[in-house]
Structures are given as C-alpha cells and as structure tokens.
Amino acid sequence: MPRMFLNGTAMSGGADHHLVGDAPLVARTTTAPRYRFHAVEGRYPALEEGGTAAVAGELYELSYAQLREVLLPGEPDGLELGVIELADGSGSLAMILRPGHTAPRTDISDIADWREYRS
C-alpha cells in the first residue's frame, strides 16, 4: 500500500480527517529538513522543496482507491501529488505546492507545524 504524508487538515483531529477513512496511522514524523512550508491564503498548508524546515505530519497507509476516489479529490487546486523525503530518509507521497501557483501565501517554515500555526 502507498504511504501518504499528511500535514494539514486531514491529520487526526482535523476537519478533513474523515477523508483518511480507516487507513492505519504508520507514524507521527517530520519531513527531512529540506522544505519550505507555507500557509496558502491562510486556508491550507503547502510543502515546497528548497528550504531547511522539517515539517511535522502523520504518515498513513492508504489504498490506491482511497487516494484516488476520496483523499485527492478533496485537496485544494494549489496542490499536487508528489514524492517527499521523510526524516528517516525514506520516501512518501505527499501533497506539494503546484509549480507556478501564485495564490498569496505566508512562509511558516519557522513553525513547520500546521496545527501550531493555526492555534
């Protein structure tokens, strides 16, 4: 099963966690310290390669059907599916900032945690 790193509202306790369904939580972890982290229009987070932030999130095992039919259709237009590096050096699917996306965003790399930013 593919592994999906979540770092926004689909994490446990978030408004969109229902999109994960009964997928098992593999770990609470961070990305490798090579990303920038943004709040896009203050509504959703976005990872972007090229920084030094280790972004907090949760790793789930999701079926391809769950990804294709439930989780991905619920993602904002400014994001796309990509592959990231986790703190342990392994890879994972994740939603990343779509290249060329021009919506207003705030760099929150110094916080690197969506829940902390929102609180």
Side-chain angles (χ1 to χ4, degrees):
M1 276 204 219
R3 298 184 322 160
M4 181 75 177
F5 179 79
L6 302 175
N7 60 2
T9 60
M11 288 190 295
S12 58
D16 293 323
H17 185 66
H18 65 279
L19 299 174
V20 175
D22 61 356
L25 173 66
V26 175
R28 288 181 175 83
T29 188
T30 65
T31 65
R34 56 185 287 180
Y35 297 94
R36 292 176 64 199
F37 197 45
H38 305 280
V40 180
E41 298 177 321
R43 296 184 308 116
Y44 60 88
L47 283 171
E48 181 179 37
E49 201 158 337
T52 59
V55 177
E58 297 175 346
L59 188 64
Y60 288 86
E61 284 188 345
L62 289 132
S63 69
Y64 285 110
Q66 185 76 12
L67 277 170
R68 180 183 63 246
E69 298 165 15
V70 181
L71 186 66
L72 294 180
E75 293 292 341
D77 289 341
L79 301 178
E80 67 182 18
L81 188 62
V83 178
I84 62 158
E85 181 182 359
L86 297 174
D88 66 2
S90 66
S92 174
L93 297 173
M95 299 308 293
I96 59 174
L97 187 65
R98 185 181 306 277
H101 187 65
T102 59
R105 58 184 180 258
T106 303
D107 191 318
I108 58 170
S109 298
D110 58 326
I111 299 170
D113 185 316
W114 183 248
R115 289 178 176 143
E116 188 175 329
Y117 169 75
R118 298 292 289 172
S119 64

